Amino acid sequence: MIVFSRGTALVLGLLVALVATPLAASLINFGLDGIAMLLPIVVILELVLYFGFTLFSSPRATLGNSMTVAILFFLVRLAACMAAFIPASGLVDEASFAGLWAGNPVSVALQVLLLMSLGGHALAHLAPGFLPADVLARLGGGSESRVSRDANPRPQASPHSSSAAGGFVQVFSYEELSGTLRKTQGLEGFVIYSNEGLVVWRDLPMRIEVDSVVAKVMSLTDQFNAVMDGSGLTRVRRVMVESKEHFLFTTPLNSNFGLMMLFNSGTSTEEILARIAFVSKTTREFLQWKYPALPLVTGLSQDRNPMLVD
């Protein structure tokens, strides 16, 4: 018995299906007349479809990355049709490469559907660097083959260095941080921002203007603090906003960074408050390791967010 890993088996199965689909369609002997005139249209529509699908699959997908994936999918289908043409030319007298590639709408649709549904899994196995971290997390791929792109050297740690200790998990890259925090029940995404309002890292599935939201929340926090100071009360420690579908929490991590968390509305406030301490401490410990030269003050200070964090 030949044993393959799950990722390798998926890639091989995808390639076989991509070749078998146009080959089977050629045996049916169904095609469109004047297909040569339609080839430019097919190329454009196919690239646009792949590009749009990749771009809107992740909030962090870039134009360059999406175009690269689109061209890659296009070339893979083109190569599959070339491979199918070799046996088809011996089985069907009037077989043509153009007919296999774009002459059968059903065959084209099936190949495109296969690439859009399974191509991401294949990329996660073969080249995880093509995909954003949140897409990799949803696909569940790249954990074995991914190489950390963190510029800082990973320290040698004991076998228990990544286990929960003292209410947090030690991580060594933003990708690992996303993977760890995503396991928090009810947490749909988070944003790390600097005390100047600049987004340092974001892992949000929704397409929202994160920079604008962070700036406005920080401005509102300053206004709240002014009200509290004017009333003789202590300053704000956390901000919570409840909407119909979400809870939005912001909390300072230290004098340099803050954390914004988005929980779904199905999570109770008590559960959220119990999990914020873990999420905050895990993030704060990572930032302290990531940026050791920055003074990470967790107590009261004269910064714009001088708030104590649990």
Side-chain angles (χ1 to χ4, degrees):
M1 180 177 64
I2 302 177
V3 179
F4 295 107
S5 67
R6 182 179 301 177
T8 302
L10 185 145
V11 172
L12 293 176
L14 175 61
L15 293 177
V16 170
L18 289 174
V19 175
T21 299
L23 180 60
S26 67
L27 300 177
I28 301 176
N29 197 24
F30 169 75
L32 298 176
D33 296 331
I35 187 61
M37 299 180 61
L38 298 177
L39 291 182
I41 299 177
V42 173
V43 172
I44 295 174
L45 289 178
E46 189 171 352
L47 286 174
V48 169
L49 185 61
Y50 294 146
F51 175 78
F53 174 78
T54 306
L55 181 64
F56 292 104
S57 64
S58 167
R60 289 205 298 271
T62 63
L63 294 178
N65 181 270
S66 300
M67 180 56 69
T68 301
V69 174
I71 294 175
L72 180 62
F73 281 3
F74 173 81
L75 293 177
V76 168
R77 195 178 83 81
L78 187 67
C81 291
M82 293 176 64
F85 176 68
I86 297 175
S89 60
L91 297 174
V92 181
D93 295 334
E94 299 180 357
S96 67
F97 171 72
L100 264 69
W101 180 35
N104 191 316
V106 176
S107 173
V108 173
L110 287 176
Q111 284 184 302
V112 171
L113 183 62
L114 282 170
L115 282 170
M116 290 196 300
S117 59
L118 300 178
H121 293 276
L123 277 178
H125 176 69
L126 296 175
F130 273 113
L131 303 175
D134 57 329
V135 174
L136 271 178
R138 293 201 301 270
L139 293 174
S143 59
E144 296 179 356
S145 58
R146 183 181 66 202
V147 178
S148 175
R149 296 184 292 273
D150 204 310
N152 291 334
R154 183 168 183 151
Q156 297 297 322
S158 66
H160 303 289
S161 61
S162 294
S163 62
F168 74 98
V169 173
Q170 184 69 53
V171 296
F172 302 99
S173 70
Y174 282 112
E175 288 79 6
E176 287 187 35
L177 179 66
S178 292
T180 299
L181 298 192
R182 278 291 189 168
K183 298 176 183 178
T184 305
Q185 185 177 357
L187 182 66
E188 294 191 355
F190 68 95
V191 177
I192 301 173
Y193 56 90
S194 69
N195 62 347
E196 297 178 347
L198 300 177
V199 175
V200 178
W201 180 261
R202 56 172 290 175
D203 187 353
L204 276 178
M206 299 185 301
R207 287 188 168 272
I208 62 176
E209 294 293 334
V210 176
D211 299 89
S212 176
V213 172
V214 169
K216 291 178 180 179
V217 169
M218 292 181 68
S219 176
L220 288 174
T221 302
D222 287 342
Q223 295 179 37
F224 281 136
N225 281 327
V227 173
M228 301 294 276
D229 288 341
S231 304
L233 301 173
T234 56
R235 296 172 68 85
V236 175
R237 297 173 64 188
R238 301 187 182 111
V239 175
M240 169 186 165
V241 179
E242 180 180 3
S243 67
K244 182 179 180 181
E245 298 179 350
H246 298 98
F247 288 104
L248 187 147
F249 273 80
T250 60
T251 182
L253 297 173
N254 47 57
S255 58
N256 299 298
F257 300 102
L259 179 65
M260 178 184 296
M261 294 159 281
L262 196 68
F263 290 85
N264 62 55
S265 59
T267 310
S268 68
T269 308
E270 293 77 11
E271 292 175 329
I272 293 175
L273 292 175
R275 292 163 187 159
I276 283 180
F278 165 79
V279 173
S280 299
K281 189 170 184 180
T282 296
T283 306
R284 185 167 61 249
E285 292 293 330
F286 164 68
L287 292 172
Q288 188 169 1
W289 171 83
K290 176 77 172 174
Y291 306 104
L294 294 178
L296 301 182
V297 182
T298 57
L300 296 175
S301 68
Q302 298 301 317
D303 295 295
R304 63 174 296 140
N305 285 319
M307 295 170 270
L308 184 64
V309 182
D310 289 344

